[in-house]
Amino acid sequence: RVEVWLRDAGGETIHRSPGWPGNLNDADLPWDPARPDRDARPVEFRTIERGDRSWRIGTVAEDGVRVDVALDLAPHRAAIDHVHRILAGAIALALTVAAAGGWWMAGRAIRPIADVTRLAESLGADDLARRIPETATDREFARLIEVLNGMFARLERSFEQAARFSADASHELRTPLTIMQGEVEAALSRVEPGGDAERALTIQLEEIHRLKALVDRLLLLARADR
């Protein structure tokens, strides 16, 4: 709402328009609105406070006539406050969406790492033939998967070599130990009972039995690993 007050030089009101421009005609103005230089007149602006109301007033004076135009700022401030609330809500919504998007992108980025970690933890000596699927698009992560698969391949070969060595060593040792056992037993049957030779051969025979038991256990472990 805009109200126009026309006052004389002494401050006396000579006209008041309750509405602008509906109830104020061009003839009511102290100057000709058709003049091209009417906007060039100096206008003084000020803001006054009356209780909880604020008014923006423009003043122009000419030929002893002073015109004050007052504009109630309450609707404009209410509109500005409304815009501020909308902006605050929009910013809060944008931050929420950004946080949710960042959380989703971070989870998507680290999901392959979690999959690799679970697979690496589940690997054992009996399933070293498993490999990590090379589905990563990132070069560094694809390189990491390649290195891990290479390490698993080397571990698999090492375990296979160790298992083959245990089996081969057990088989190779059984034959000479059996021959040694037969020779010692035959020698014991020919020596004089109670002599030093019998005691030495008996000790050797006991050690041969211990070696054969150890070889049998190695062969059993090799078969169990396979």
Side-chain angles (χ1 to χ4, degrees):
R1 176 182 176 84
V2 178
E3 295 182 353
V4 178
W5 297 67
L6 303 183
R7 296 186 177 90
D8 58 16
E12 295 295 330
T13 301
I14 61 177
H15 182 84
R16 174 185 176 185
S17 173
W20 172 270
N23 296 328
L24 187 65
N25 299 321
D26 291 344
D28 297 326
L29 296 175
W31 63 81
D32 184 3
R35 289 173 53 183
D37 60 343
R38 66 183 186 277
D39 292 333
R41 292 184 178 85
V43 181
E44 297 180 359
F45 291 97
R46 65 188 184 280
T47 302
I48 63 173
E49 305 285 343
R50 292 293 183 270
D52 59 347
R53 304 291 294 277
S54 298
W55 297 83
R56 184 66 172 170
I57 301 176
T59 301
V60 62
E62 183 178 347
D63 299 332
V65 177
R66 170 178 165 178
V67 178
D68 292 335
V69 179
L71 177 65
D72 188 0
L73 298 179
H76 301 279
R77 291 183 175 177
I80 292 174
D81 292 340
H82 180 65
V83 172
H84 285 171
R85 288 192 295 270
I86 293 176
L87 288 177
I91 291 174
L93 179 61
L95 291 176
T96 302
V97 172
W103 177 82
W104 178 79
M105 292 182 64
R108 184 177 181 182
I110 66 174
R111 188 178 299 115
I113 299 177
D115 295 339
V116 170
T117 302
R118 286 193 297 270
L119 178 59
E121 289 178 345
S122 64
L123 285 179
D126 55 343
D127 57 354
L128 287 176
R130 294 171 58 187
R131 297 293 182 267
I132 302 173
E134 297 182 1
T135 58
T137 57
D138 184 76
R139 175 181 296 181
E140 289 76 10
F141 192 69
R143 176 59 179 166
L144 174 62
I145 293 177
E146 181 182 354
V147 171
L148 289 175
N149 285 336
M151 180 187 67
F152 296 150
R154 291 192 298 273
L155 286 174
E156 182 183 12
R157 290 193 298 269
S158 298
F159 271 83
E160 289 179 351
Q161 291 173 359
R164 283 196 301 268
F165 173 78
S166 298
D168 295 343
S170 300
H171 281 294
E172 294 297 330
L173 289 174
R174 285 174 63 87
T175 301
L177 288 175
T178 302
I179 296 174
M180 291 174 61
Q181 179 181 356
E183 293 294 333
V184 171
E185 289 177 350
L188 277 174
S189 64
R190 295 193 296 269
V191 299
E192 182 180 352
D196 294 337
E198 183 185 24
R199 286 194 298 271
L201 291 173
T202 302
I203 294 175
Q204 293 181 14
L205 184 60
E206 291 176 356
E207 295 300 326
I208 291 173
H209 284 303
R210 289 179 57 188
L211 286 174
K212 288 187 65 177
L214 179 61
V215 169
D216 290 338
R217 286 196 294 270
L218 287 175
L219 183 59
L220 179 64
L221 289 176
R223 291 172 178 173
D225 288 340
R226 290 188 178 275

